[in-house]
Amino acid sequence: MPHVGPVALFDSGVGGLSVMRHVRELLPFEDLLYYGDNGYCPYGNRPESQVRQRVFSIAAFLLAQGAKMLVLACNTASIAALDDLRAGYPEVPIVGMEPAVKPAARATRNGRIGVLATTVTLHGDRFEKLLQQYAQNVRVFSQPGYGLVERVEAGQVQAAETAIWLRELLSPLIEAGIDTLVLGSTHYAFLRPLIEQVMGPQVTVIDTGLPVARQTRRVLEKSGLGNTGRQPGQELFYTSGEAPLLEAIYGRLWGQPVSLRRQPD
Ligand code: DGL
């Protein structure tokens, strides 16, 4: 495999940019390729089989673009398809993600943790296994993040209506007395300031963007695929959605203007 190919990240939409910003910090010399499957967003409301199909089709596209490594910057896609994807491409290094139940179970002081994630994630076998493995001694309160992905995709990450919605959505977790909250979707990382405001200072909020970026760097180094050049890496962005309409929100969340290419499915 060429060392010069990009590290490719993908998500149902803009959520994975919250992972990619950490990857860019940790891997300044790597070219990065991002695919937002906006044409099919949100994944969280779709049958698992359809999410799996999308993951395979996007992975094939990214590998055809020369990607040397894949990062499923999406909890929902990882829960639905990570094992199958690894089995389908045993020669490709693939990093996935999962809600941070393990660190949360370690961090909690009162034994009550909340997990905010999509329904596909919360109902997935992989999530069930995570709970069995790491959450035997804590109480886990799961909350589907109804409507949150749509709000992030619409750029309403600081909107007053989003804050009102979060207050309502998170109230069962506040009532349950959790002291640790896992953000189980990459989209929610963009809502972190509002979520922290709603939950209050006594609740620790955990997001996995940085640990996944560290894992990406580790896997890249271990597989000997790191770029040895010292030129700043470039970024290339693809979407299956309406590129011109989406450029503004991509640019806003990425922190600089983005030229988005449409890749029809
Ligand atoms: N950003 C995704 C996740 O991590 C997917 C959200 C969705 O499309 O429903 O779960």
Side-chain angles (χ1 to χ4, degrees):
M1 252 205 212
H3 295 199
V4 290
V7 172
L9 298 94
F10 63 104
D11 177 53
S12 62
V14 293
L17 296 173
S18 68
V19 177
M20 181 149 134
R21 60 187 177 187
H22 294 293
V23 172
R24 172 43 79 226
E25 270 166 34
L26 297 187
L27 296 171
F29 307 119
E30 295 293 338
D31 288 338
L32 303 179
L33 183 57
Y34 186 84
Y35 189 107
D37 199 11
N38 301 83
Y40 289 82
C41 188
Y43 281 173
N45 302 344
R46 295 184 181 276
E48 224 186 77
S49 57
Q50 199 179 10
V51 175
R52 207 172 297 128
Q53 225 172 40
R54 291 304 302 153
V55 168
F56 269 87
S57 135
I58 295 165
F61 169 73
L62 294 171
L63 292 170
Q65 305 307 300
K68 60 184 173 186
M69 174 177 181
L70 300 176
V71 181
L72 270 79
C74 176
N75 292 265
T76 309
S78 301
I79 291 280
L82 183 59
D83 293 336
D84 291 349
L85 193 66
R86 283 186 173 141
Y89 293 99
E91 72 291 358
V92 180
I94 301 175
V95 170
M97 56 198 302
E98 60 194 18
V101 171
K102 185 181 172 186
R106 264 203 229 121
T108 181
R109 297 162 308 265
N110 70 2
R112 290 166 168 257
I113 69 174
V115 179
L116 185 63
T118 68
T119 41
V120 169
T121 297
L122 296 175
H123 293 147
D125 289 346
R126 272 183 83 95
F127 184 65
E128 188 50 44
K129 278 188 204 140
L130 261 185
L131 296 184
Q132 279 166 16
Q133 217 177 335
Y134 301 114
Q136 292 294 351
N137 299 320
V138 297
R139 284 194 66 187
V140 178
F141 299 87
S142 297
Q143 175 61 51
Y146 301 120
L148 296 182
V149 168
E150 291 86 337
R151 281 167 199 271
V152 173
E153 289 289 327
Q156 296 168 349
V157 291
Q158 279 155 353
E161 308 84 71
T162 307
I164 293 169
W165 178 233
L166 279 169
R167 237 174 272 286
E168 191 169 327
L169 192 72
L170 298 175
S171 63
L173 298 180
I174 294 172
E175 278 157 30
I178 63 158
D179 70 355
T180 309
L181 174 61
V182 174
L183 302 187
S185 160
T186 50
H187 280 79
Y188 306 161
F190 290 116
L191 297 171
R192 185 175 183 144
L194 281 187
I195 290 173
E196 284 180 336
Q197 225 174 66
V198 171
M199 295 308 294
Q202 70 287 357
V203 174
T204 305
V205 174
I206 302 185
D207 143 51
T208 37
L210 183 57
V212 169
R214 288 201 183 110
Q215 175 66 1
T216 302
R217 183 173 61 183
R218 252 191 312 270
V219 170
L220 198 66
E221 283 167 0
K222 217 174 107 195
S223 47
L225 290 175
N227 191 353
T228 46
R230 283 295 172 264
Q231 292 294 325
Q234 308 284 310
E235 296 97 26
L236 204 56
F237 297 86
Y238 283 97
T239 180
S240 56
E242 295 302 325
L245 291 176
L246 290 162
E247 267 182 351
I249 178 67
Y250 269 76
R252 190 169 151 208
L253 297 179
W254 179 242
Q256 50 182 296
V258 160
S259 155
L260 199 52
R261 301 177 182 205
R262 178 163 155 77
Q263 167 57 33
D265 37 30

